[in-house]
Amino acid sequence: MSRRPVIAGNWKMHNLQQDAVDLTNGVMQSLREIDKAALPEVIIAPTFTSLYAANKALKDCGCGKVRLAAQNCYYEEKGAFTGECSVQMLKDTGCEYIIIGHSERRQYFGETDEMVNKKAKAILANGLVPIICCGESLEQREAGVTDYHIASQITKALRDLTAQEVAKSIIAYEPIWAIGTGKTCDSTEANRVIAMIRNVVKSLYDANTADSIRILYGGSVKPETIKEQMAQSDIDGALVGGASLKVDSFSQIVKGAM
Ligand code: 13P
């Protein structure tokens, strides 16, 4: 089965509204010569406060080459949850994808596997696509429990989802020690872990579902690393942090994934 590649830019807590508009326009401008069908699925994930402005820039351009994601959501529909945004609210702002379970949210904001699972259900119930993050710490890698840890994160994140829901979801494998450090995980090792994740999906569901789900690599992805990463059998794209904040590096990564 051929899976459409995905290049997603996680802007994290960067960019005021005007910066977000400029970056969005810059990315679209950099892709203007390329036929939409030749492009990977290109996704940008601004902060909550820039989603409206970025969505407006995307709409005004109308090229449909870049899609919008949020970096987080809450799983309840509405109510007394001060400071949170529901999936419906994010959908209303133009989001088609929502990143959940990022290691920074797990580490600094106490996001648990159970919350990731509830968020995944709410996202899928609203017709959006979850980008489910997983990844091991350096201590876990050195202790030899990487596969066990990742398999556990994925099994818990997918609990009670249907095969159809899982098939259209996206997983991002982001080793924590590779995030923001400049130390990219070796491509063959990233591919090995991602193939292991695909096997977990196969054992929980079936071969078709495992073949359909897109699994990305994240962690210090750069223009220089993307070709080798994309050449691997099981890596379907990248979740890019730092290099997604500049038009040049992000568009080079998008083009490198073609
Ligand atoms: P960097 O690309 O900056 O390492 O960040 C990766 C990441 O956390 C994307 O979600």
Side-chain angles (χ1 to χ4, degrees):
M1 164 164 318
S2 75
R3 296 177 292 266
R4 185 166 186 216
V6 177
I7 299 294
N10 174 8
W11 294 0
K12 307 195 180 182
M13 200 170 75
H14 293 284
N15 291 332
L16 301 181
Q17 292 185 67
Q18 190 58 51
D19 306 316
V21 169
D22 293 345
L23 182 51
T24 304
N25 285 331
V27 169
M28 287 188 296
Q29 180 72 4
S30 72
L31 305 177
R32 74 187 181 288
E33 306 285 336
I34 305 170
D35 193 48
K36 190 178 160 192
L39 281 170
E41 225 161 280
V42 182
I43 303 169
I44 54 169
T47 56
F48 285 153
T49 53
S50 290
L51 284 173
Y52 179 84
N55 186 48
K56 186 169 183 311
L58 293 176
K59 285 253 171 68
D60 288 348
C61 166
C63 67
K65 291 179 182 173
V66 178
R67 299 175 175 283
L68 198 63
Q71 298 173 16
N72 180 34
C73 66
Y74 194 55
Y75 48 81
E76 296 289 352
E77 247 174 60
K78 59 179 151 193
F81 303 105
T82 302
E84 293 298 314
C85 277
S86 72
V87 175
Q88 279 175 315
M89 290 165 183
L90 297 168
K91 185 177 182 178
D92 187 44
T93 315
C95 293
E96 295 177 88
Y97 308 78
I98 304 180
I99 299 170
I100 53 176
H102 192 282
S103 62
E104 286 148 19
R105 296 225 48 93
R106 294 179 191 257
Q107 183 182 348
Y108 303 128
F109 305 101
E111 190 158 324
T112 62
D113 290 323
E114 192 194 12
M115 288 161 74
V116 173
N117 177 241
K118 286 182 173 170
K119 291 178 181 192
K121 286 180 188 158
I123 292 165
L124 288 157
N126 281 283
L128 276 65
V129 177
I131 301 178
I132 304 165
C133 302
C134 62
E136 82 286 1
S137 65
L138 188 58
E139 293 70 35
Q140 287 168 323
R141 174 155 285 265
E142 285 173 347
V145 297
T146 296
D147 292 13
Y148 172 81
H149 175 68
I150 306 283
S152 158
Q153 283 186 321
I154 293 304
T155 303
K156 290 172 182 165
L158 302 182
R159 183 172 293 155
D160 296 332
L161 299 187
T162 66
Q164 291 93 318
E165 287 175 326
V166 173
K168 63 181 174 217
S169 298
I170 297 174
I171 291 175
Y173 167 56
E174 301 203 302
I176 298 170
W177 48 270
I179 295 178
T181 57
K183 280 206 298 191
T184 317
C185 179
D186 178 74
S187 297
T188 54
E189 171 59 10
N191 191 57
R192 186 195 68 75
V193 175
I194 287 176
M196 186 276 299
I197 295 171
R198 212 175 287 290
N199 246 323
V200 170
V201 173
K202 186 176 168 190
S203 68
L204 292 172
Y205 294 91
D206 50 62
N208 256 342
T209 310
D211 271 350
S212 302
I213 189 167
R214 269 93 54 88
I215 311 181
L216 318 181
Y217 167 77
S220 297
V221 172
K222 312 176 202 58
E224 306 85 65
T225 64
I226 189 69
K227 280 207 187 301
E228 188 185 308
Q229 286 154 345
M230 294 308 293
Q232 306 296 316
S233 60
D234 281 84
I235 302 181
D236 299 318
L239 182 54
V240 187
S244 71
L245 293 171
K246 293 267 181 300
V247 171
D248 254 20
S249 44
F250 189 62
S251 69
Q252 279 180 56
I253 290 170
V254 170
K255 289 169 189 167
M258 285 168 58

